[in-house]
Amino acid sequence: MTTRTEPGPGIDALSMADVYTPAYTEQIERARHEASLLFARVAMTHLFAEGPAAYHPDAEPPAGAMARQPFYFRKKLLDYLADRGELIVQGDTCRPTPELAARARMSEEQFLGPGVTGSPTMEVIKYFESVVGGVLRGRDGLVLLEEAYGAEETQRLWHHLMVDAGPKRAPSKLAARALDLRLRSGEPTVVFEGGAGIGATLREALTIEGFRERTAHLASYGFTDVSRSLMQQARRTFTAELPELVDRMRFDRVDLDDLDAYDDVPYLQDEAADLVIYESVLYDVANLHQVLSHSRRILKPGGWLVFTFGSRGRPGQFFPFEFFQSTLHSFYRAELDPPRRVNPGYLTMAEWTASLESAGFGRFRVLPDAADHDKWPYGGIVAERP
């Protein structure tokens, strides 16, 4: 393992210019277009089947994740339609516009055009369309899918939406590039990845030219999740695909909401890690301020916190990108803490900024730029510990 005396590249060297392109924009817009047909069907089947529906956009949510889920799912769908101008609102009730009702009656060929087939993501979302009735009655979307289609098929659907879907590749690329950039310093590097799942970050990093060789600079890699089965799957994957690193990897069950409880895990001690990665998971924690504060404690001075997310924006633009998560009980367990945490699930850029600054991260980069979040909702933040 070689060591450099000069500073390695900083967070300003991270580039995603080749990811956020017109081709990526086309993927995003296609997803929005296809979702508009599916959401029209859902609305007409589950909200307006018996006439006008109640609509209270400023209603207070109930307490508890299980009670919040049907409340927020219904609210988000109605807010989506209202933002698109597809509701006729009269007092505390609403009804669909004729255009919305007509779209719901269209076949996919009529809507997409002759000979045009839906994307793989559209096909996956149709599975969730089939369980919306149960979601609106307060049941968890993944549980409903497993009951209807089995655990193996549900795992395939989840993997596609969270890892393989075209728009979702941007967050994993961001996390992977930050990891690779950190290794380019040539210095021994300690990494803690929380909520690592099946290893999307490392798998994406393996597509970067020279990354496999640069893993020689990894002193240790803490690969963690709360799911034992996911970690077992990841261990098998990396034993086969990255055997030269496995002996420096630790596969530990770690609850991000309890990071101060692991006094026997080396990379979770004070100033132990050079890089902390949360790929599409940080918005799921219960106490965001606590997790960010512990992440700062764990990092060495000059270390990086990298996390990815969908950035909450206008409902009419954003809801297609949190439809799946919005069916899950776990998406609503956040302890709200205004102004740092106003929304359960995905946060706005203002919430992320307030949360990072409160936890002691004064310097950070947002990718893509916040001004582009309506156009490109998936991205992340790289923050540097002072």
Side-chain angles (χ1 to χ4, degrees):
M1 184 180 294
T2 60
T3 304
R4 293 169 44 150
T5 55
E6 68 271 21
I11 63 175
D12 291 333
L14 185 62
S15 174
M16 294 282 286
D18 63 323
V19 175
Y20 296 115
T21 63
Y24 184 72
T25 305
E26 185 177 337
Q27 290 182 340
I28 294 291
E29 291 306 318
R30 181 176 185 181
R32 286 176 170 144
H33 181 63
E34 292 175 344
S36 70
L37 174 63
L38 299 176
F39 293 171
R41 292 176 182 169
V42 168
M44 295 307 299
T45 301
H46 297 285
L47 300 184
F48 302 116
E50 298 178 0
Y55 185 36
H56 306 280
D58 299 321
E60 287 294 317
M66 294 181 66
R68 285 177 178 175
Q69 178 239 30
F71 170 89
Y72 272 111
F73 186 86
R74 184 181 186 279
K75 172 178 165 50
K76 288 174 184 178
L77 180 56
L78 287 171
D79 288 348
Y80 164 84
L81 297 171
D83 191 41
R84 288 169 54 89
E86 296 183 328
L87 292 185
I88 299 169
V89 180
Q90 296 175 311
D92 291 336
T93 64
C94 63
R95 56 190 173 89
T97 62
E99 293 79 11
L100 176 64
R103 186 166 74 247
R105 294 191 295 268
M106 296 175 75
S107 68
E108 288 177 25
E109 184 175 23
Q110 289 172 322
F111 181 73
L112 298 173
V116 179
T117 57
S119 69
T121 299
M122 184 177 187
E123 295 305 308
V124 169
I125 289 179
K126 282 193 235 177
Y127 284 82
F128 285 87
E129 180 186 1
S130 72
V131 299
V132 163
V135 170
L136 287 167
R137 291 190 295 273
R139 299 200 61 204
D140 184 85
L142 278 180
V143 172
L144 289 165
L145 286 174
E146 287 190 359
E147 290 176 357
Y149 303 107
E152 185 175 340
E153 181 68 353
T154 298
Q155 174 67 22
R156 183 189 71 81
L157 301 173
W158 178 86
H159 189 277
H160 175 84
L161 288 175
M162 298 304 295
V163 179
D164 291 339
K168 278 288 290 160
R169 295 297 299 277
S172 56
K173 284 180 181 293
L174 193 159
R177 291 183 183 190
L179 169 61
D180 183 63
L181 187 64
R182 191 76 193 193
L183 295 183
R184 288 173 186 262
S185 71
E187 299 175 356
T189 301
V190 175
V191 177
F192 159 49
E193 183 173 3
I198 58 172
T201 297
L202 275 173
R203 292 165 77 175
E204 184 65 44
L206 283 170
T207 69
I208 300 173
E209 184 178 357
F211 174 79
R212 185 179 294 272
E213 292 72 27
R214 285 187 286 276
T215 61
H217 306 310
L218 278 168
S220 69
Y221 198 108
F223 187 101
T224 76
D225 201 279
V226 293
S227 169
R228 189 182 301 278
S229 63
L230 287 180
M231 285 195 295
Q232 290 171 339
Q233 182 180 344
R235 186 193 289 270
R236 291 192 296 269
T237 296
F238 293 121
T239 298
E241 298 182 10
L242 197 56
E244 61 269 40
L245 178 59
V246 169
D247 64 346
R248 284 170 284 140
M249 295 181 74
R250 283 189 52 148
F251 295 85
D252 295 311
R253 291 185 71 185
V254 169
D255 183 349
L256 298 184
D257 283 305
D258 202 18
L259 285 175
D260 60 346
Y262 301 93
D263 56 6
D264 58 340
V265 179
Y267 52 82
L268 296 181
Q269 305 314 302
D270 293 357
E271 299 186 1
D274 300 282
L275 180 64
V276 172
I277 301 172
Y278 301 123
E279 208 286 272
S280 297
V281 70
L282 198 53
Y283 49 78
D284 263 341
V285 301
N287 190 322
L288 179 60
H289 177 68
Q290 178 175 284
V291 176
L292 287 173
S293 298
H294 282 307
S295 300
R296 185 186 186 280
R297 171 186 63 77
I298 291 164
L299 282 167
K300 300 173 184 177
W304 297 355
L305 167 66
V306 180
F307 60 95
T308 63
F309 50 73
S311 184
R312 183 172 300 285
R314 285 182 49 192
Q317 296 276 72
F318 186 66
F319 185 51
F321 305 106
E322 67 166 352
F323 174 76
F324 159 57
Q325 292 92 332
S326 295
T327 69
L328 310 179
H329 289 159
S330 61
F331 199 55
Y332 301 102
R333 56 192 206 95
E335 299 171 13
L336 301 186
D337 179 29
R340 297 183 298 204
R341 190 79 190 259
V342 178
N343 296 286
Y346 289 135
L347 285 72
T348 64
M349 199 58 241
E351 290 172 272
W352 283 124
T353 299
S355 294
L356 283 166
E357 291 178 347
S358 178
F361 290 98
R363 170 169 155 73
F364 54 89
R365 282 192 66 201
V366 182
L367 295 107
D369 187 82
D372 292 320
H373 280 177
D374 272 345
K375 179 167 63 172
W376 299 319
Y378 287 123
I381 288 176
V382 185
E384 185 173 24
R385 185 207 192 278

